[in-house]
């Protein structure tokens, strides 16, 4: 993949201007969800073999040396390697990670001294409107320390590519000068490490549960990043909801240069990195330009993808792997056409098709409900109740 300077994306993908890309996307395998409702297929899914489940729920299947849910049998060599890393590498990495977290907490504490936290209708803007040296210090230190954290996790070198979209017109190159900056970054979702990378790249804001704001260390950091804190159980009359808060923040970032962009994962859950799920429309309701970013995690033994494994086991195995790899493709800013502005579903669909073509990703119709059924089946359960759990 060649690294090129950013160019402005075409306004829309239609049969007239993006025929080749459309045909390429259409040629990719398209997975169909189970024909019956997910809840009713949970019981038969639990009776299928692991191989059948992996084929049926391919976007969530692990194909590394550790197998489904990280519980597969390991050979003697891999077991010995894991034991050595757990004794020698794991403690050092945990200590280093804590030190990096503490360092950024100190920076955020200093930058918020004498600054009153903003609150709106119970949601809370935190310190999203920090300005001057305070905002500069939060951004510069945040990006540097997020990269340091990735280094601690074994990502010693990250390959980044800035790609032009094929057949972009020369006259489009100057669009960014009069159409404004993107209000959001839209990315495929593969791992919890995705957020760390985006922090190191641009330190955007993102949506988090209200409880995150009360966590030690992480709470203040997330407020300084301008995260939107959501309390789903709120019944306040002025509660705007996730969609309204995100739309407002994207519009603000689009208009104001000093306002942090929003980071959104339109798929709504993680995959194994080879697939692209249907996009939700939340990132596209603001009618503002977006910057698509594609993340891939090449691996030899353990996949950093967080697909069918519990969080604690995933972090443990990740820290015990000597080297991890990350490749990033930055696509040009996507400026929506008037038709896309009026139709968020069309806007989301066109951006998704573009990302699938440029990232060589397979389009899939599966969603979060199917992922829960797959996880329940791997655990030997028929759990239709899994469909009622909170989102990932």
């Amino acid at each position: 993949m060649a690294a090129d300077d950013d160019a402005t994306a075409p306004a829309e993908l239609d049969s007239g201007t993006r025929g080749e890309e459309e045909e390429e996307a259409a040629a990719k395998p398209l997975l169909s969800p189970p024909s019956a409702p997910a809840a009713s297929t949970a019981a038969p899914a639990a009776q299928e073999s692991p191989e059948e489940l992996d084929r049926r729920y391919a976007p969530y299947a692990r194909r590394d040396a550790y197998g489904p849910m990280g519980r597969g049998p390991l050979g003697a060599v891999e077991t010995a390697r894991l034991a050595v890393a757990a004794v020698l590498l794991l403690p050092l990495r945990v200590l280093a990670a804590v030190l990096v977290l503490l360092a950024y907490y100190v920076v955020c504490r200093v930058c918020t001294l004498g600054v009153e936290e903003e609150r709106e209708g119970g949601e809370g803007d935190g310190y999203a409107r920090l300005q001057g040296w305070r905002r500069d210090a939060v951004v510069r230190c945040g990006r540097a320390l997020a990269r340091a954290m990735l280094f601690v996790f074994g990502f010693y070198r990250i390959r980044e590519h800035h790609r032009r979209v094929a057949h972009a017109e020369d006259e489009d190159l100057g669009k960014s000068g009069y159409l404004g900056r993107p209000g959001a970054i839209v990315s495929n979702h593969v791992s919890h490490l995705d957020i760390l990378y985006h922090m190191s790249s641009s330190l955007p804001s993102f949506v988090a549960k209200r409880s995150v704001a009360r966590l030690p260390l992480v709470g203040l950091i997330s407020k300084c990043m301008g995260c939107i804190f959501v309390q789903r159980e709120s019944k306040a009359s002025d509660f705007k909801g996730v969609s309204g808060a995100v739309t407002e923040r994207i519009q603000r970032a689009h208009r104001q240069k000093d306002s942090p962009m929003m980071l959104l994962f339109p798929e709504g859950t993680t995959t194994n990195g080879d697939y692209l799920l249907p996009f939700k429309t939340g990132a596209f309701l603001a009618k503002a330009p977006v910057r698509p970013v594609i993340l891939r995690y090449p691996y030899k033994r353990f996949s950093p993808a967080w697909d069918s494994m519990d969080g604690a086991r995933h972090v443990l195995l990740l820290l015990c792997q000597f080297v991890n790899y990350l490749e990033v493709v930055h696509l040009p800013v996507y400026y929506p056409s008037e038709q896309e502005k009026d139709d968020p579903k069309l806007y989301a669909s066109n951006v998704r098709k573009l990302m699938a073509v440029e990232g060589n990703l397979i389009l899939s119709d599966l969603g979060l409900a199917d992922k829960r059924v797959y996880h329940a089946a791997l655990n030997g359960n028929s759990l239709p109740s899994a469909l009622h759990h909170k989102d990932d």
Side-chain angles (χ1 to χ4, degrees):
M1 292 182 289
D4 295 315
D5 294 333
D6 284 358
T8 302
E12 62 178 318
L13 299 174
D14 55 40
S15 59
T17 62
R18 295 297 300 228
E20 295 180 8
E21 285 83 354
E22 288 284 354
E23 291 176 5
E24 185 175 353
K28 292 179 176 292
L30 181 62
L31 296 181
S32 299
S35 56
S40 63
T41 61
Q47 301 171 4
E48 296 180 16
S49 69
E51 292 77 15
E52 292 172 331
L53 287 172
D54 286 351
R55 286 194 297 269
R56 186 176 182 182
Y57 300 100
Y60 315 118
R62 293 191 71 85
R63 298 181 176 87
D64 61 6
Y66 290 81
M69 307 194 80
R71 300 172 183 171
L74 298 178
V77 175
E78 189 64 27
T79 301
R81 183 185 288 113
L82 183 61
V84 171
V87 172
L88 300 179
L89 191 60
L90 179 61
L92 294 177
R93 283 183 166 174
V94 171
L95 177 61
V98 171
L99 291 177
V100 171
L101 183 63
L102 284 172
Y104 195 35
Y105 173 80
V106 171
V107 170
C108 292
R109 177 57 66 190
V110 171
C111 291
T112 54
L113 290 175
V115 179
E116 185 176 354
E117 181 181 349
E118 298 181 35
R119 297 181 180 278
E120 293 183 8
E123 288 288 329
D125 255 10
Y127 300 99
R129 298 178 190 267
L130 286 176
Q131 296 181 353
W133 69 268
R134 299 175 188 270
R135 175 64 186 167
D136 190 56
V138 166
V139 172
R140 290 178 180 272
C141 293
R143 292 180 62 181
L145 291 172
R147 183 63 187 91
M149 186 70 83
L150 285 170
F151 190 89
V152 169
F153 275 66
F155 294 90
Y156 306 124
R157 181 171 178 262
I158 298 175
R159 298 180 60 187
E160 301 189 77
H161 310 271
H162 296 265
R163 184 174 298 178
R164 295 176 184 270
V165 172
H167 311 305
E169 297 293 339
D170 291 340
E171 62 187 33
D172 287 334
L173 298 179
K175 274 189 176 181
S176 59
Y178 61 88
L179 291 182
R181 69 195 292 253
I185 298 168
V186 293
S187 173
N188 63 320
H189 202 7
V190 184
S191 173
H192 51 80
L193 299 163
D194 300 349
I195 293 178
L196 268 182
Y197 167 75
H198 286 292
M199 286 179 63
S200 72
S201 176
S202 57
L203 203 82
S205 303
F206 53 90
V207 178
K209 294 180 181 179
R210 186 65 189 169
S211 57
V212 172
R214 297 189 290 269
L215 293 175
L217 305 182
V218 176
L220 178 63
I221 292 173
S222 60
K223 291 178 182 179
C224 286
M225 291 177 61
C227 293
I228 296 177
F229 299 110
V230 178
Q231 184 174 337
R232 294 183 177 89
E233 297 79 9
S234 176
K235 300 184 183 299
S237 58
D238 56 350
F239 178 68
K240 296 177 293 185
V242 179
S243 178
V246 169
T247 298
E248 179 182 324
R249 186 67 66 80
I250 292 175
Q251 292 173 341
R252 184 197 305 173
H254 175 52
R255 296 190 306 264
Q256 302 175 9
K257 182 179 179 180
D258 294 333
S259 182
M261 286 191 293
M262 286 295 302
L263 167 63
L264 295 163
F265 301 105
E267 295 171 284
T269 189
T270 55
T271 68
N272 57 20
D274 295 328
Y275 294 80
L276 202 61
L277 307 181
F279 278 9
K280 301 180 185 300
T281 59
F284 309 96
L285 295 173
K287 306 179 180 181
V290 298
R291 178 179 291 281
V293 177
I294 303 166
L295 305 178
R296 309 252 354 207
Y297 294 85
Y299 63 91
K300 295 181 179 179
R301 291 182 297 274
F302 174 75
S303 170
W306 189 25
D307 36 36
S308 61
M309 187 183 304
D310 67 81
R313 182 186 297 269
H314 186 272
V315 172
L316 174 65
L317 294 176
L318 182 73
L319 290 175
C320 288
Q321 185 157 255
F322 290 91
V323 181
N324 291 296
Y325 303 93
L326 172 59
E327 295 179 356
V328 185
V329 177
H330 298 267
L331 298 183
V333 176
Y334 191 104
Y335 295 93
S337 66
E338 291 302 320
Q339 183 181 5
E340 289 171 322
K341 290 180 180 179
D342 294 336
D343 188 350
K345 290 185 178 180
L346 175 65
Y347 188 5
S349 176
N350 286 345
V351 173
R352 177 177 179 245
K353 291 175 183 177
L354 175 65
M355 292 177 65
V357 170
E358 297 296 327
N360 194 29
L361 301 172
I362 303 172
L363 296 174
S364 169
D365 282 342
L366 301 185
L368 179 58
D370 303 289
K371 184 178 184 179
R372 289 170 175 163
V373 172
Y374 176 59
H375 286 184
L378 288 178
N379 285 311
N381 301 324
S382 58
L383 285 177
S385 60
L387 300 176
H388 304 292
H389 290 176
K390 291 183 178 180
D391 291 352
D392 292 4

